[in-house]
Amino acid sequence: NGTPVSVTNSGFATGQLSIPDGTTIMGPAGWNGQIVPPQNPGSGGNAPTGFQVGSTIVEVGAAGNVLLFDKPVSVIINGIHTNVAYKPAGSTNWVKITAQCAGTYANPTAPTFPGECYITDSGTSKTKIFTYHLTSFANLSANSSSSSSSSSGGGGGGSVGFSSLSDYMLSSTVSSTL
């Protein structure tokens, strides 16, 4: 009916996932078909050079697996209005999301598959990450010193941590009538 599916965690109000009606999800062979609601995975990982991972981290999807979507999904992170990054499944390096979404917060323009972009709501402290993949997402803070002990995470876009689409099977289509 065109209504997106909203995935939330009543014990973790920091993050929310919105999946458009009729979205097809691809997961690795052996994926159990479940999407874990947003949660706090704790800290960890190497921030991109010049940054440190902030205190807001949201993990959503299937821990240790990459889920791909044929339409972009929205990961909304409450309480941040700063730089954001994602950490590919199986990696310890955070990747800064450099592309800002065109359009409006309510209706951002889709990034090119399999990329991502972000947009902030100017009236609140919310950032929406518009992406074709799920993993961990976090805010970044710029380092105050000129030197950094963190590993480089690279720029936004590019590989999301899977070897090839042939490793994935078509799993299911999300319907708002579920």
Side-chain angles (χ1 to χ4, degrees):
N1 66 6
T3 304
V5 174
S6 182
V7 180
T8 60
N9 179 343
S10 62
F12 184 68
T14 301
Q16 175 185 343
L17 170 64
S18 180
I19 305 171
D21 183 33
T23 299
T24 300
I25 305 168
M26 293 182 294
W31 172 53
N32 65 8
Q34 296 180 350
I35 295 177
V36 177
Q39 60 185 346
N40 181 349
S43 60
N46 303 309
T49 300
F51 291 92
Q52 59 186 6
V53 177
S55 60
T56 305
I57 302 174
V58 174
E59 182 178 80
V60 62
N65 291 302
V66 174
L67 301 180
L68 298 175
F69 298 81
D70 70 331
K71 298 175 188 173
V73 300
S74 298
V75 177
I76 299 166
I77 304 174
N78 298 314
I80 65 169
H81 219 133
T82 62
N83 294 306
V84 290
Y86 70 90
K87 184 169 58 171
S91 176
T92 59
N93 295 324
W94 289 92
V95 178
K96 184 175 187 250
I97 299 173
T98 58
Q100 188 165 2
C101 301
T104 64
Y105 182 83
N107 191 22
T109 301
T112 303
F113 181 86
E116 62 283 317
C117 62
Y118 73 95
I119 191 164
T120 56
D121 184 355
S122 60
T124 65
S125 289
K126 290 184 180 179
T127 296
K128 182 183 289 184
I129 299 170
F130 213 37
T131 181
Y132 292 93
H133 60 92
L134 293 180
T135 186
S136 294
F137 299 92
N139 68 310
L140 296 174
S141 301
N143 283 339
S144 57
S145 65
S146 60
S147 64
S148 172
S149 60
S150 300
S151 298
S152 174
S159 174
V160 294
F162 58 91
S163 56
S164 73
L165 286 178
S166 64
D167 292 340
Y168 285 75
M169 63 178 191
L170 192 57
S171 178
S172 62
T173 300
V174 174
S175 173
S176 61
T177 58
L178 291 176

